[in-house]
Amino acid sequence: MGQNQSEPSPPADPRLPPGQRRQRGWPVLHYGPVPRFKPHSWDFQVFGATADAEKTRWDFAAFHALPKVTVRGDFHCVTKFSMLDNEWHGVAARTVLDLAPPDPSVTHVMVWAEYGYSANLSLVDFADPSTVFATHHDGQPLTVEHGFPVRLVVPRLYAWKGPKWVRAVEYMRADRRGFWEERGYHNRADPWQEQRYSYQEQDGDGPLR
Ligand SMILES: Nc1nc2c(c(=O)[nH]1)N[C@H]1C(S)=C(S)[C@@H](COP(=O)(O)O)O[C@H]1N2
Ligand SMILES: [Mo]
């Protein structure tokens, strides 16, 4: 049998979203400097449209006393590397919703990190059982480069939706763009739909810019 121009390419790896490749090792990727952890002033706040109109604030000890979960999930960076089967340990986003409930009118959240980095999520993505404020990866405490003491991971979305060095969650009654979403990245960021850039957005994918 000769070379056939229309020979199909090898089947795509079903674990990988379109355009992604597997990465060995864990690269460090972020905008700006690595923040210095200050244990005495560190807190984790939940503010915005809360059910009781109050702000919740956990200091470092209180945050670490919250119930923890372990979830497995993949990690897809929009720069096209993916790490499969990570084990994340930390506080489920659902636990934050349970302990500091949003007002019923809330549709989106903004997750805030040191130096003003932020990422917006629909309440549905935030409430997914795989969404976790991670303190550990594969059994090891996070290193400071990877977000110690707490980073968000949202395995069902591109990894920029997971801020490292998280400090707060804001409950919102309407969607608003986070840091990368204001800078040309897709508001929804579903890697299986390859939602990389804001020019790909369809009506309803995000607020007008
Ligand atoms: N605070 C903060 N979190 C961030 C970023 C950032 O620039 N600042 N970059 C995001 C992006 S684009 C990716 S791919 C992941 C990278 O996480 P890692 O450095 O642990 O691999 O962090 C995300 N979280
Ligand atoms: Mo990324």
Side-chain angles (χ1 to χ4, degrees), residues 31-48:
Y31 178 81
V34 173
R36 201 161 62 89
F37 172 57
K38 302 191 192 91
H40 299 294
S41 57
W42 189 92
D43 63 6
F44 186 109
Q45 298 196 6
V46 186
F47 70 100

Side-chain angles (χ1 to χ4, degrees), residues 26-32 75-79 81 83 88 113-114 117-118 145-147 151-152 159-166 179-180:
W26 189 7
V28 170
L29 219 75
H30 55 262
Y31 178 81
F75 185 94
H76 307 296
C77 176
V78 72
T79 63
F81 73 83
M83 299 193 309
W88 303 102
E114 303 280 359
Y117 185 87
S118 61
E145 292 79 12
H146 287 301
R151 71 156 323 140
L152 188 66
W160 86 76
K161 291 287 191 181
K164 305 193 273 191
W165 316 295
V166 171
F179 182 88
W180 286 121

Side-chain angles (χ1 to χ4, degrees), residues 85-108:
D85 287 325
N86 303 277
E87 186 191 279
W88 303 102
H89 180 73
V91 177
R94 278 189 164 185
T95 301
V96 172
L97 291 168
D98 288 344
L99 298 177
D103 184 84
S105 61
V106 167
T107 57
H108 293 80

Side-chain angles (χ1 to χ4, degrees), residues 59-79:
D59 67 13
F60 189 64
F63 185 83
H64 282 273
L66 297 177
K68 303 280 185 43
V69 296
T70 301
V71 301
R72 295 195 76 83
D74 298 338
F75 185 94
H76 307 296
C77 176
V78 72
T79 63

